[in-house]
């Protein structure tokens, strides 16, 4: 939302893997789809999934070189790339981005382009199923109730992680 703001519309799907955009490491590509409900102007939820891809280019196959010094050596990176715009899969732009690491010395673009494209289409389809399920929940219980429960789930997760970190911290101090 910070990056795209009002440019995020129905039918858009975002691709991200960059460490500054919540990525864990570059071969883990996250597909994020906004959920618009009925006449909402802004998304009411987001559905996302992260898939590990065997290769996205860089200086070595597998896109996880232990001797890399620069992010581009690890392969293609995406912060808020619209993989789908207004319902249209952006195959040409996506292919160019997946092949972009080849512009750097010693690097290649993805070595598994067709696998990447197929896997990303499957991730997009999985998000569509997620949107269907979230929409069914909203239809059954109402938007306010579903948003409230999502808030409770997030709060509970935060409390659980904080408690776990306290335990780990105490163990690390030898307490």
């Amino acid at each position: 939302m910070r990056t795209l703001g009002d440019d995020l519309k129905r039918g858009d799907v975002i691709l991200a893997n960059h460490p500054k955009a919540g990525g864990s490491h570059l071969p883990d590509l996250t597909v994020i789809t906004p959920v618009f409900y009925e006449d909402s102007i802004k998304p009411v939820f987001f559905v996302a999934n992260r898939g590990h891809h065997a290769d996205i280019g860089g200086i070595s196959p597998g896109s996880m070189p232990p001797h890399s010094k620069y992010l581009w050596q690890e392969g293609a990176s995406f912060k808020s790339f619209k993989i789908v715009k207004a319902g249209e899969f952006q195959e040409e732009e996506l292919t160019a981005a997946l092949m972009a690491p080849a512009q750097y010395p010693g690097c290649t673009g993805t070595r598994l382009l067709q696998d990447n494209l197929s896997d990303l289409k499957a991730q997009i389809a999985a998000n569509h199923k997620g949107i269907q399920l979230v929409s069914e929940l909203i239809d059954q219980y109402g938007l306010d109730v579903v948003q409230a429960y999502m808030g409770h789930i997030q709060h509970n997760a935060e409390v659980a992680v904080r408690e776990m970190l306290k335990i780990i911290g105490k163990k690390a101090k030898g307490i």
Side-chain angles (χ1 to χ4, degrees), residues 25 49 74 90-91 158:
H25 69 132
N49 70 73
E74 296 181 24
Q90 303 296 299
E91 187 165 344
E158 178 184 346

Side-chain angles (χ1 to χ4, degrees), residues 31 33 47-50 118-134:
V31 173
T33 308
V47 294
N49 70 73
R50 180 172 285 169
S118 296
D119 290 346
L120 286 164
K121 287 177 182 178
Q123 287 180 254
I124 293 165
N127 280 4
H128 284 293
K129 181 63 175 180
I131 290 171
Q132 177 188 350
L133 294 171
V134 168

Side-chain angles (χ1 to χ4, degrees), residues 54-80:
D55 191 87
I56 56 165
I59 58 175
S60 66
S63 305
M64 294 179 10
H67 55 283
S68 61
K69 295 179 181 172
Y70 303 99
L71 188 63
W72 48 263
Q73 292 175 318
E74 296 181 24
S77 63
F78 304 92
K79 284 187 183 173
S80 290

Side-chain angles (χ1 to χ4, degrees), residues 9-117:
K9 308 282 189 227
R10 289 178 191 271
D12 291 346
V13 179
I14 308 305
L15 176 63
N17 70 340
H18 196 284
K20 290 184 178 178
S24 53
H25 69 132
L26 294 189
D28 289 342
L29 299 179
T30 304
V31 173
I32 307 155
T33 308
V35 178
F36 291 90
Y37 187 72
E38 293 181 349
D39 296 331
S40 64
I41 296 169
K42 295 195 179 229
V44 295
F45 288 107
F46 290 88
V47 294
N49 70 73
R50 180 172 285 169
H52 180 79
H53 290 247
D55 191 87
I56 56 165
I59 58 175
S60 66
S63 305
M64 294 179 10
H67 55 283
S68 61
K69 295 179 181 172
Y70 303 99
L71 188 63
W72 48 263
Q73 292 175 318
E74 296 181 24
S77 63
F78 304 92
K79 284 187 183 173
S80 290
F81 181 85
K82 280 194 182 181
I83 189 172
V84 177
K85 288 182 184 176
E88 294 294 322
F89 185 67
Q90 303 296 299
E91 187 165 344
E92 188 175 317
E93 295 85 348
L94 177 59
T95 298
L98 286 166
M99 299 309 288
Q103 68 185 309
Y104 298 105
C107 293
T108 69
T110 180
R111 296 157 188 92
L112 300 169
L113 179 62
Q114 289 308 312
D115 289 354
N116 296 125
L117 295 174

